[in-house]
Amino acid sequence: MAPSARNRAGNPGQSARRIALSAVLAALAMIFSYVETLIPVPVPVPGIKLGIANLVIVMAIYKLGFRYAFTINCVRIVISGLLFSGVFGMIYSFAGGVLSIAVMYLLKRTGWFSMIGVSMAGGVAHNLGQLITASLLVSSVRMMSYFSILLFSGLISGILVGIIASLIDRRLPNVTV
């Protein structure tokens, strides 16, 4: 293989490890999505979830980078949507997931926020993305009045996910994948 082609391709073994790890993380995120459907939320408000599948996405952003985390998130959303929530659930999750991962990645890149802060912003952005989508689908801006409730739930779940992610991150070895 020519040196220039090798530089573009990177280390083939490392790339294979990243792809394999991404597949495992996508499966783990789907398992967490399923577990989340089994856990009753203490507040009976539509749209409020624990967000435990986002634990995998936060870890992927920090360990694998945006591209792999985005792919893992999309795979999880599509397959979980087909299995658990249907097409509209998938649309809402995709809108929230794309906005969430973009916000988390941008905040992480600044270096100004901890993993907890990044996760918290991701939780709020996820709920905001879902609300914007709902407002567009029903053609009513009044849906946005629901944001105060979802803001609070996004903050709480984002903080909890961020705390767990930072605890896991401290215990993981610093290996290059």
Side-chain angles (χ1 to χ4, degrees):
M1 183 184 285
S4 62
R6 188 177 296 125
N7 290 341
R8 276 182 279 157
N11 182 346
Q14 186 175 0
S15 180
R17 278 191 291 259
R18 282 178 171 247
I19 291 169
L21 180 58
S22 295
V24 169
L25 291 176
L28 182 61
M30 288 176 14
I31 290 167
F32 285 168
S33 291
Y34 175 68
V35 167
E36 194 168 49
T37 65
L38 301 175
I39 300 171
V41 180
V43 182
V45 178
I48 293 181
K49 291 168 109 180
L50 297 174
I52 55 177
N54 292 328
L55 174 63
V56 174
I57 305 308
V58 171
M59 294 302 301
I61 287 173
Y62 277 84
K63 294 297 184 184
L64 298 172
F66 177 78
R67 187 175 66 170
Y68 286 93
F70 184 80
T71 303
I72 292 165
N73 202 27
C74 289
V75 167
R76 175 193 64 87
I77 288 168
V78 169
I79 295 175
S80 295
L82 292 172
L83 292 174
F84 312 125
S85 62
V87 175
F88 281 106
M90 193 183 330
I91 291 169
Y92 291 127
S93 290
F94 194 75
V98 168
L99 184 58
S100 173
I101 200 165
V103 166
M104 288 191 295
Y105 177 70
L106 292 173
L107 292 180
K108 178 197 172 283
R109 281 193 56 172
T110 67
W112 297 342
F113 299 90
S114 68
M115 191 179 278
I116 297 169
V118 168
S119 176
M120 181 180 66
V124 172
H126 192 278
N127 288 346
L128 179 61
Q130 288 184 326
L131 259 181
I132 290 169
T133 302
S135 294
L136 292 172
L137 287 176
V138 299
S139 301
S140 174
V141 178
R142 286 190 282 169
M143 293 291 293
M144 295 307 290
S145 64
Y146 192 47
F147 183 63
S148 60
I149 295 168
L150 292 181
L151 171 70
F152 183 70
S153 72
L155 285 171
I156 298 298
S157 65
I159 289 170
L160 292 174
V161 166
I163 289 170
I164 295 168
S166 65
L167 291 172
I168 291 170
D169 187 52
R170 283 189 221 144
R171 287 169 175 74
L172 286 177
N174 268 343
V175 292
T176 307
V177 181

